[in-house]
Amino acid sequence: MSTLTDFAAGIAAGAIRVVDLTHTLDPDFPVIILPPEFGQCARFRMEEISAYDHRGPAWKWHNLTLSEHTGTHFDAPSHWISGRDVPNGSVDEIPVDMFVGPVVVIDCSEGAAKDDDYELTPEVITAWEAEHGQIPADAWVLMRTDWSKRRGEAYLNMTDDGPHSPGPTPAAMRLLVEERNIRGFGTETVGTDAGQGMHYTPPYPAHFILHGAGKYGLQCLANLDQLPATGAVLMAPPLKIKNGTGSPLRVMAMVEDKS
Ligand code: MN
């Protein structure tokens, strides 16, 4: 038996669970809203070309309109100014082996339930590591907040001073990127940064620090409550868009339940 034969047999037998971490692309799913002086991200739209009718008697299909950053999506280094000169920084250039790899989940759901502006800090990370071991190099790190269970306006959670949602502090991102050398960071919220992330130094520290170091982002993830803290494998291949700064994608995790 080879590793791949065992792997395929494990999926077929259900010993390896495949968990879908993706929201459905739907015109009603929120996209990030920037202050009005900036360009805006498009919502998902689907236009019928034909549906077994005079426009195409035996087939049904649609044209799509969306942003690189609509729905559950991948952020490439070239998305941020800090990563504009990173080699292989666009989605079409990233080596494909980066799209499959180990993943750990830091459960912040309790704190995020009490505080919309909950911060992932170095203290939270080191407390997690005291229980689960050090975050391995080249792993994806996902911040679980259960934010994906919110619907409608509660998802962006806009107030007079902008959106309020949980995210990492600059010191937490420096720890993950500079000391743990992670592959990427993912969240259940509309961005890898907190809703109020503009007030940190640097502003939007997850974007700035991750992409400046050639690391990747995932956002609008779902079902993180179905993953173990360690031991799962993430599959997150973005579309191969020439010079693309990101891409909607299907994100899956493979989980081997301990018997
Ligand atoms: Mn994005």
Side-chain angles (χ1 to χ4, degrees):
M1 293 284 272
S2 74
T3 305
L4 283 176
T5 308
D6 289 346
F7 170 71
I11 301 256
I16 297 172
R17 259 189 312 134
V18 184
V19 182
D20 190 355
L21 306 185
T22 322
H23 282 288
T24 303
L25 279 170
D26 173 317
D28 293 330
F29 192 80
V31 295
I32 197 163
I33 298 171
L34 299 183
E37 63 269 31
F38 298 123
Q40 302 293 332
C41 178
R43 282 184 181 236
F44 177 74
R45 283 198 303 118
M46 192 162 82
E47 171 210 357
E48 195 174 85
I49 307 171
S50 72
Y52 332 115
D53 54 23
H54 69 282
R55 298 168 300 174
W59 52 91
K60 178 176 178 177
W61 53 346
H62 302 98
N63 285 323
L64 306 181
T65 307
L66 74 180
S67 160
E68 295 169 325
H69 299 261
T70 300
T72 301
H73 71 276
F74 186 103
D75 278 4
S78 65
H79 179 41
W80 217 252
I81 191 165
S82 55
R84 64 193 296 174
D85 296 322
V86 163
N88 303 319
S90 57
V91 284
D92 57 318
E93 298 171 330
I94 297 169
V96 290
D97 56 348
M98 290 291 101
F99 303 146
V100 183
V103 60
V104 305
V105 180
I106 302 179
D107 184 1
C108 302
S109 59
E110 221 179 286
K114 292 182 200 136
D115 179 5
D116 289 350
D117 297 309
Y118 177 84
E119 292 179 310
L120 175 65
T121 62
E123 291 70 32
V124 173
I125 294 168
T126 50
W128 182 94
E129 289 185 325
E131 191 177 344
H132 301 287
Q134 185 166 307
I135 293 169
D138 210 26
W140 279 99
V141 175
L142 305 184
M143 178 182 177
R144 175 186 161 194
T145 54
D146 289 348
W147 211 259
S148 58
K149 296 174 182 173
R150 292 183 170 224
R151 293 290 175 272
E153 292 186 356
Y155 189 74
L156 295 181
N157 202 26
M158 286 293 230
T159 65
D160 291 346
D161 62 352
H164 288 265
S165 55
T169 65
M173 287 320 301
R174 280 195 292 272
L175 169 60
L176 292 175
V177 170
E178 293 166 14
E179 294 182 48
R180 299 295 181 264
N181 195 22
I182 64 167
R183 180 179 304 192
F185 177 73
T187 63
E188 294 181 53
T189 50
V190 78
T192 48
D193 274 295
Q196 293 288 298
M198 74 288 264
H199 298 302
Y200 290 121
T201 307
Y204 304 108
H207 284 85
F208 192 89
I209 294 167
L210 281 171
H211 302 322
K215 312 298 188 185
Y216 314 119
L218 286 169
Q219 45 257 287
C220 306
L221 295 170
N223 295 327
L224 297 193
D225 57 349
Q226 296 178 30
L227 302 187
T230 64
V233 170
L234 194 77
M235 286 192 70
L239 297 177
K240 197 170 182 180
I241 302 166
K242 188 162 180 66
N243 298 321
T245 70
S247 163
L249 76 172
R250 196 75 179 251
V251 184
M252 293 178 291
M254 285 161 288
V255 180
E256 194 173 15
D257 290 313
K258 307 250 176 0
S259 51

